[in-house]
Amino acid sequence: FTVGELFDGVRASVAPLATERNVRLEVDARAVEVQLDGDPAQLRHALTAVVRNAIEAAGGGWVRLECDAPEGG
């Protein structure tokens, strides 16, 4: 699976909370095609928890989710 697929799943999970808390959720898609190894459900669950905590702490600001990878890696 890809970073883009992971980010899409996380965004879908936290979008209602972000809207409710008046927090802008930004997603940087530079590394969207990077392939990930691991359990997609566990990675999505862990990242969703981190982003959810960030939204709750943002207090009406913004949360940015991004992934960057070195060229060729």
Side-chain angles (χ1 to χ4, degrees), residues 34 68-73:
V34 171
D68 200 1
E71 287 192 35

Side-chain angles (χ1 to χ4, degrees), residues 7-69:
F7 280 11
D8 286 346
V10 170
R11 182 185 350 206
S13 294
V14 301
L17 177 63
T19 299
E20 174 187 315
R21 298 290 176 101
N22 197 32
V23 173
R24 186 177 72 240
L25 181 61
E26 298 178 355
V27 178
D28 187 329
R30 284 182 285 172
V32 71
E33 295 301 322
V34 171
Q35 291 289 319
L36 299 172
D37 291 325
D39 184 321
Q42 287 184 351
L43 284 170
R44 187 176 310 110
H45 178 76
L47 188 55
T48 298
V50 170
V51 173
R52 183 176 301 276
N53 288 343
I55 290 169
E56 291 173 352
W62 56 271
V63 171
R64 182 176 178 88
L65 183 59
E66 72 178 272
C67 178
D68 200 1

